[in-house]
């Protein structure tokens, strides 16, 4: 039996037929007129004076106005300030109007411009970035229905200008948008991620979640089982929340209003059993005070918060541990901690330093976090899990050439905490996020093992990883965790001398793997090469692991196919870089054919898998892999499927333009662009730049220059940028036409010309 037939028999499917000649060479009915070099193109925003530009930005009618006018204004403002002090030409009200217009549009270019505006707020608008400004952006994105962008925005706020942790109100904005544009699963995952983002969920957060659960159930015309709500109660318990009467009433009324009194009583009883403690009026007042102090410290600074505390002190507010945490919840500076501890006459603690370190890590300030750790040790504080875990997580997540240095630092931190807390008494299992271990906990071992398993220096770190596993045994910490199990599998697989030995290692430790753990193992398996320079992963072995997932009752998702396709794409790129098609020998040709065959078999398995509904991400990966292998016909068939089914995105468009450029398929590129234009699909900046490069590869430099100078930036389309010009010049140099291209840019796009780096203008 051939390998092909063996694979199909193994998977229990039949292979699809594939037409030899896809109908992609279609003629384009409309011929575009030639680019007239003697016709002047006027854009008033490019020739108007400074005051006119300011007036246009005060009441922008369209994002296009902002994109064309704002960079020009900033350039002129920078030029004027070289000679004289010029006050900010716009104010906060104008900033709000611009942000609202861009956010409501919500295209990638609009989001890039918002980032630029936030960096310029002080210079151009006379205000500093604030929480209110971030809230305005989120509300505008909500109007556009841009849920994932909203979620990414709040998660990345600590690293955006101002370095703010998101507020509870901002997270609630995202959750409310999720009710309109998302799913309950997304909402619950968002709530579970809030604490890591520096924003603890409240009772109001879970009320939003509970109401949403009923709304989603109504859309499906179903009644959720009590078990669904019991999992939410478990989440609340881990968050350390107390009994709340209004939440109890909400749980009860959900079923009672639908005539299901038995279920209503059941869920209320369950809630009372899990939350027996009822907050007193004094406890409720303290929580309200602490929330107020935290908000003031975040928006106005620690001194203002301390002044408010002194005022509340007269009403009975006391400097308890929760109060001090509230004051420091958003701080990163040692000066804040010093001010609070001196003012309130308390000693700095591990708890205080862990807050500051976590906030520094969220803001991407690892060096500051390490300095705080050293400062805490200098204060005589013993390392504990709460202190070192954020540092170890950040260090083990480092990528690239700094990984080895970062792992070594993480291991030093581990030695610190391990030495202070010997493996004599096992740590107790946590029941709440509020609890922290003193010594190394499962979370620390997860992060360390995952980092060591990803290191290219296996010989150095494998013995260390094995010693960590021995430490876990000594501390009686279970290894029956998917993250730990996947790291163990990856370490042993990478140390194996053959595919069979690698699979044996996997089978020995697979019992604890969940979907995420299997994804880690599959990804590692595809990268094994067993000493070969370039290795094509075995589909038979790969899908034997996938088969184990099915037998374990785990869901098979598109990620399973994306992982193998991504690795095939990487191998194809390596092959192209080392041996261009016209230079490869018989051995390399066989390797390329093996890659093509493996990709096509994966395509067939994906198409025939009844349990998987392919999304744009996996189709994009398949199309990209085909085009990197030079299989333009296959790539085009995938594009046609995506286009006709409406399951394509901006990434898909860039890939098909790229494929056309390398395959010299000018007619196809014209057809794709014409169809998208007819459908009203707006190309983003990356699409335009890919199309420009496609034209240049097809030796149509004149058309590419026309696109940049005349077509881009019109009717709301993305405007050309420095990269657009860089692409033109890269290809113009091959025919010594760079002077002509630069002349056109200078003539038609004078403001873009001004913003070009010196080396491009002098090309």
């Amino acid at each position: 039996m051939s390998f092909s037939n063996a694979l199909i028999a193994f998977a229990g499917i039949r292979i699809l037929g594939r037409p030899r000649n896809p109908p992609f060479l279609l003629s384009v009915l409309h011929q575009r007129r030639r680019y007239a070099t003697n016709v002047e193109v006027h854009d008033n925003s490019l020739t108007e004076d400074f005051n006119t530009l300011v007036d246009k930005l005060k009441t922008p009618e369209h994002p296009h106005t902002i994109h064309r006018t704002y960079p020009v204004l900033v350039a002129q403002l920078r030029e004027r300030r070289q000679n004289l002090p010029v006050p900010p030409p716009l104010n906060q009200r104008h900033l709000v109007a611009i942000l609202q217009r861009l956010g409501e549009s919500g295209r990638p270019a609009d989001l890039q411009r918002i980032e630029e505006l936030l960096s310029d707020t002080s210079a151009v608008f006379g205000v500093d970035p604030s929480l209110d400004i971030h809230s305005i952006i989120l509300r505008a994105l909500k109007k556009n229905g841009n849920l994932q962008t909203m979620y990414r925005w709040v998660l990345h706020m600590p690293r955006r200008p101002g370095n703010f942790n998101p507020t509870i109100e901002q997270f609630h904005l995202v959750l409310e948008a999720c009710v309109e544009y998302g799913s309950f699963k997304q909402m619950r995952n968002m709530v579970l991620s809030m604490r890591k983002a520096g924003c603890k969920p409240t009772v109001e957060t879970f009320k939003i979640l509970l109401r949403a659960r009923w709304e989603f159930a109504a859309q499906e015309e179903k009644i959720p089982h009590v078990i669904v709500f019991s999992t939410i109660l478990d989440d609340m318990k881990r968050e350390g929340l107390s009994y709340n009467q209004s939440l109890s009433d909400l749980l009860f009324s959900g079923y009672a209003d639908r005539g299901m009194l038995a279920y209503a009583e059941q869920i209320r009883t369950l809630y009372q059993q899990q939350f027996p403690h009822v907050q007193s009026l004094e406890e409720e007042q303290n929580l309200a005070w602490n929330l107020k102090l935290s908000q003031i410290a975040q928006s106005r600074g620690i001194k203002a918060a301390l002044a408010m505390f002194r005022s509340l002190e007269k009403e009975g507010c006391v400097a308890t541990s929760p109060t001090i945490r509230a004051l420091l919840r958003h701080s990163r500076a040692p000066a804040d901690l010093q001010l609070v501890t001196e003012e309130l006459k308390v000693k700095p603690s591990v708890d205080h330093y862990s807050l500051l370190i976590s906030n520094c890590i969220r803001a991407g300030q690892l060096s500051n976090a390490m300095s705080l750790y050293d400062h805490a040790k200098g204060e005589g504080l013993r390392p504990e899990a709460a202190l070192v875990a954020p540092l170890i997580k950040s260090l083990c997540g480092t990528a690239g050439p700094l990984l080895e240095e970062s792992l070594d630092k993480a291991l030093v931190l581990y030695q610190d905490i391990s030495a202070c807390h010997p493996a004599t008494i096992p740590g107790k299992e946590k029941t709440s996020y509020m609890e922290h271990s003193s010594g190394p906990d499962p979370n620390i071992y997860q992060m360390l093992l995952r980092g060591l398993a990803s290191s290219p220096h296996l010989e150095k770190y494998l013995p260390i990883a094995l010693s960590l596993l021995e430490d876990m045994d000594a501390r009686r910490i279970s290894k029956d965790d998917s993250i730990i199990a996947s790291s163990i599998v990856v370490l042993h697989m990478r140390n194996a001398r053959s595919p069979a030995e690698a699979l044996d290692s996997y089978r020995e430790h697979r019992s604890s793997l969940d979907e995420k753990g299997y994804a880690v193992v599959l990804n590692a398996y595809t990268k094994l090469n067993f000493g070969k320079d370039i290795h094509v992963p075995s589909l038979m072995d790969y899908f034997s692991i996938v088969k184990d997932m099915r037998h374990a009752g785990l869901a098979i998702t598109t990620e399973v196919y994306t992982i193998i396709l991504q690795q095939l794409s990487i191998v194809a790129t390596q092959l192209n870089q080392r041996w261009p098609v016209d230079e490869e020998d018989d051995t390399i040709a066989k390797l390329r054919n093996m890659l093509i065959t493996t990709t096509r078999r994966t395509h067939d398995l994906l198409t025939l898998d009844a349990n998987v509904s392919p999304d744009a991400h996996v189709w994009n990966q398949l199309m990209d892999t085909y085009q990197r292998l030079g299989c333009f016909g296959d790539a085009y068939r995938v594009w046609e499927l995506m286009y006709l089914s409406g399951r394509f995105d901006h990434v898909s468009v860039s890939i098909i333009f790229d494929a056309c450029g390398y395959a010299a398929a000018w007619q196809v590129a014209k057809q794709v662009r014409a169809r998208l234009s007819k459908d009203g699909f707006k190309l983003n900046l990356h699409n335009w730049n890919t199309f420009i490069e496609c034209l240049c590869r097809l030796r149509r430099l004149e058309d590419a220059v026309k696109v940049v100078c005349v077509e881009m930036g019109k009717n709301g389309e993305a405007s050309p940028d420095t990269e657009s010009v860089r692409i033109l010049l890269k290809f113009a140099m091959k025919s010594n036409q760079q002077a002509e291209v630069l002349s056109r840019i200078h003539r038609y796009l004078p403001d873009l010309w001004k913003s070009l780096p010196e080396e491009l203008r002098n090309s």
Side-chain angles (χ1 to χ4, degrees):
M1 181 183 288
S2 68
F3 179 86
S4 175
N5 292 333
L7 178 64
I8 300 305
F10 174 79
I13 59 175
R14 61 178 181 79
I15 197 148
L16 287 178
R18 182 177 286 103
R20 288 180 177 273
N21 298 309
F24 59 81
L25 296 176
L26 305 174
S27 62
V28 178
L29 298 176
H30 178 65
Q31 289 288 338
R32 300 184 184 276
R33 62 181 179 80
R34 290 184 57 80
Y35 175 37
T37 59
N38 60 339
V39 178
E40 285 284 0
V41 179
H42 291 284
D43 187 331
N44 291 334
S45 71
L46 301 181
T47 56
E48 290 163 341
D49 64 16
F50 184 79
N51 292 330
T52 305
L53 294 172
V54 170
D55 290 339
K56 281 199 167 190
L57 285 168
K58 286 181 177 178
T59 53
E61 297 180 358
H62 193 278
H64 171 64
T65 305
I66 301 168
H67 290 304
R68 298 296 289 170
T69 308
Y70 183 77
V72 183
L73 175 70
V74 171
Q76 290 195 21
L77 184 61
R78 189 179 297 116
E79 192 173 323
R80 287 185 172 209
R81 283 176 173 166
Q82 289 178 355
N83 303 314
L84 293 169
V86 180
L90 298 165
N91 58 35
Q92 184 168 344
R93 181 168 54 85
H94 306 136
L95 173 63
V96 169
I98 293 171
L99 290 174
Q100 286 175 334
R101 188 71 66 192
L102 292 171
E104 288 168 11
S105 175
R107 298 172 306 159
D110 302 318
L111 299 174
Q112 290 172 0
R113 188 67 68 196
I114 288 174
E115 297 274 10
E116 184 181 339
L117 284 160
L118 283 180
S119 300
D120 296 341
T121 53
S122 179
V124 181
F125 300 93
V127 296
D128 292 325
S130 67
L131 286 166
D132 287 341
I133 288 173
H134 283 283
S135 295
I136 289 164
I137 294 168
L138 287 169
R139 290 191 188 97
L141 292 171
K142 183 182 176 185
K143 285 186 179 180
N144 180 260
N146 219 328
L147 175 62
Q148 285 304 316
T149 302
M150 289 181 72
Y151 184 48
R152 286 193 296 271
W153 191 274
V154 293
L155 290 182
H156 296 158
M157 274 177 58
R159 301 193 180 201
R160 299 187 190 280
N163 301 118
F164 298 108
N165 287 340
T167 65
I168 192 71
E169 291 80 12
Q170 288 166 339
F171 255 110
H172 287 178
L173 267 176
V174 181
L175 292 175
E176 289 162 3
C178 201
V179 178
E180 295 181 60
Y181 308 110
S183 66
F184 180 75
K185 183 178 180 180
Q186 285 177 297
M187 285 190 74
R188 185 165 178 243
N189 287 338
M190 288 176 184
V191 171
L192 295 177
S193 70
M194 288 175 65
R195 178 177 287 273
K196 291 181 181 178
C199 184
K200 180 185 173 184
T202 64
V203 169
E204 290 304 316
T205 307
F206 284 96
K207 284 183 181 178
I208 295 172
L209 194 61
L210 291 170
R211 293 190 191 100
R213 187 65 192 89
W214 281 110
E215 288 191 37
F216 286 119
Q219 294 170 14
E220 299 170 0
E221 298 182 351
K222 294 179 180 178
I223 300 295
H225 195 278
V226 171
I227 295 175
V228 173
F229 294 106
S230 68
T231 58
I232 299 175
L233 298 185
D234 292 339
D235 294 341
M236 293 172 58
K237 190 75 174 178
R238 283 190 287 269
E239 291 293 349
L241 298 178
S242 300
Y243 179 87
N244 180 275
Q245 184 59 50
S246 63
L247 193 140
S248 178
D249 294 340
L250 181 62
L251 285 166
F252 182 85
S253 64
Y255 286 113
D257 291 348
R258 291 160 178 82
M260 306 178 73
L261 292 178
Y263 276 174
E265 288 292 350
Q266 184 181 347
I267 191 62
R268 181 161 63 182
T269 302
L270 184 62
Y271 179 57
Q272 290 170 345
Q273 290 173 345
Q274 281 200 250
F275 298 86
H277 175 69
V278 179
Q279 281 184 339
S280 64
L281 291 176
E282 182 183 352
E283 287 173 327
E284 289 184 6
Q285 180 62 76
N286 286 334
L287 282 174
W289 281 336
N290 289 344
L291 179 61
K292 186 173 185 178
L293 291 172
S294 178
Q295 290 172 337
I296 292 174
Q298 184 177 22
S299 58
R300 292 162 48 195
I302 201 72
K303 289 184 178 179
L306 282 169
M308 175 56 67
F309 170 76
R310 291 304 182 194
S311 175
L312 294 176
E313 204 173 22
K314 299 172 185 175
E315 301 176 29
C317 186
V318 180
T320 61
S321 178
T323 302
I324 296 170
R325 281 185 63 85
L327 288 165
L328 294 171
R329 180 167 296 280
H330 305 287
S331 293
R332 296 187 300 276
D336 285 357
L337 177 58
Q338 183 179 355
L339 187 62
V340 169
T341 53
E342 289 178 355
E343 180 78 15
L344 302 182
K345 305 292 190 295
V346 295
K347 289 184 177 181
S349 69
V350 166
D351 190 36
H352 303 151
Y353 273 103
S354 69
L355 276 173
L356 271 65
I357 286 173
S358 295
N359 288 333
C360 284
I361 294 297
R362 292 187 190 104
Q365 300 170 355
L366 177 59
S367 59
N368 290 349
M370 292 296 293
S371 296
L372 281 165
Y373 173 73
D374 293 335
H375 200 278
K377 288 204 299 182
E379 294 273 356
L381 297 174
R382 296 176 66 196
E384 294 185 6
L387 203 62
V388 303
L391 296 167
I392 289 176
K393 181 179 181 181
S394 180
L395 289 165
C396 291
T398 304
L402 295 178
L403 176 58
E404 183 177 8
E405 180 185 345
S406 296
L407 284 177
D408 290 342
K409 289 180 180 178
L411 290 168
V412 169
L413 292 172
Y414 171 75
Q415 292 299 329
D416 283 353
I417 188 174
S418 182
C420 288
H421 304 277
T424 53
I425 303 174
K428 66 176 183 177
E429 185 177 348
K430 292 196 298 182
T431 59
S432 166
Y433 295 131
M434 305 296 290
E435 299 174 10
H436 296 288
S437 303
S438 296
D441 60 10
N443 187 41
I444 286 176
Y445 285 109
Q446 287 175 5
M447 294 182 292
L448 285 170
L449 288 168
R450 186 165 48 189
L452 297 178
S454 64
S455 169
H457 307 287
L458 184 64
E459 298 81 5
K460 174 181 177 179
Y461 291 120
L462 180 59
I464 297 173
L466 295 176
S467 70
L468 289 176
L469 295 175
E470 292 175 359
D471 288 355
M472 291 180 69
D473 289 334
R475 295 179 185 277
R476 301 180 199 174
I477 294 176
S478 173
K479 289 181 280 194
D480 294 335
D481 171 271
S482 182
I483 296 176
I484 291 173
S486 63
S487 297
I488 294 171
V489 171
V490 171
L491 284 164
H492 286 297
M493 287 176 77
R494 291 183 58 205
N495 194 46
R497 290 165 294 183
S498 67
E501 188 178 330
L503 288 174
D504 286 342
S505 299
Y506 146 72
R507 293 187 182 106
E508 184 180 349
H509 302 283
R510 68 186 175 188
S511 60
S512 299
L513 296 175
D514 60 11
E515 287 95 336
K516 290 183 179 178
Y518 265 106
V520 171
V521 170
L522 288 169
N523 188 54
Y525 172 77
T526 63
K527 292 176 169 57
L528 299 177
N529 61 19
F530 305 105
K532 297 179 181 178
D533 194 24
I534 292 182
H535 175 68
V536 180
S538 162
L539 273 194
M540 183 75 80
D541 290 344
Y542 183 88
F543 280 98
S544 74
I545 300 175
V546 176
K547 188 177 181 181
D548 290 341
M549 285 184 70
R550 294 187 195 274
H551 288 163
L554 301 175
I556 306 300
T557 66
T558 55
E559 185 179 16
V560 164
Y561 294 93
T562 304
I563 289 169
I564 183 71
L565 289 169
Q566 194 169 46
Q567 182 60 21
L568 294 172
S569 177
I570 291 170
V571 176
T573 303
Q574 292 172 344
L575 206 62
N576 293 336
Q577 289 172 345
R578 299 187 194 183
W579 298 283
V581 176
D582 55 352
E583 296 178 14
E584 62 186 28
D585 56 22
D586 290 343
T587 302
I588 303 304
K590 287 180 181 178
L591 184 58
R592 186 180 297 278
N593 287 334
M594 186 187 299
L595 270 172
I596 293 170
T597 302
T598 305
T599 303
R600 285 175 174 165
R601 286 170 180 159
T602 305
H603 184 178
D604 291 325
L605 290 167
L606 170 65
T607 305
L608 293 172
D609 192 335
N611 296 313
V612 172
S613 179
D615 55 15
H617 184 58
V618 70
W619 286 134
N620 285 342
Q621 187 60 65
L622 178 62
M623 180 166 53
D624 185 58
T625 305
Y626 274 138
Q627 79 94 3
R628 289 177 189 275
L629 287 167
C631 301
F632 180 67
D634 297 87
Y636 183 78
R637 272 192 295 275
V638 176
W639 162 255
E640 275 288 278
L641 174 66
M642 296 177 74
Y643 176 77
L644 294 173
S645 64
R647 293 185 180 181
F648 68 95
D649 55 19
H650 286 99
V651 176
S652 321
V653 174
S654 289
I655 293 171
I656 192 60
F657 280 152
D658 207 28
C660 290
Y662 280 100
W666 167 229
Q667 295 298 329
V668 181
K670 282 203 301 184
Q671 180 215 38
V672 169
R673 188 182 168 205
R675 287 164 112 185
L676 292 172
S677 179
K678 183 179 179 181
D679 295 341
F681 183 88
K682 294 282 186 183
L683 303 183
N684 66 19
L685 182 57
H686 189 269
N687 294 154
W688 278 110
N689 284 342
T690 308
F691 183 64
I692 293 164
E693 186 166 346
C694 171
L695 290 173
C696 292
R697 288 193 186 283
L698 295 168
R699 299 182 180 180
R700 306 185 73 89
L701 180 62
E702 183 78 7
D703 289 336
V705 174
K706 174 189 171 184
V707 167
V708 171
C709 292
V710 179
E711 298 182 30
M712 291 181 70
K714 302 297 184 292
N715 301 318
E717 295 287 358
S719 300
D721 66 350
T722 301
E723 183 61 22
S724 312
V725 179
R726 198 182 301 276
I727 293 168
L728 291 176
L729 292 176
K730 172 185 171 182
F731 287 90
M733 288 178 183
K734 296 178 181 179
S735 54
N736 200 29
Q737 292 180 275
Q738 60 267 37
E740 175 64 20
V741 169
L742 287 169
S743 173
R744 301 276 181 86
I745 299 297
H746 185 265
R747 182 180 185 184
Y748 290 91
L749 302 169
D751 291 291
L752 175 58
W753 163 264
K754 290 178 185 177
S755 69
L756 294 178
E758 199 68 30
E759 72 269 14
L760 284 186
R761 281 194 276 180
N762 295 330
S763 296

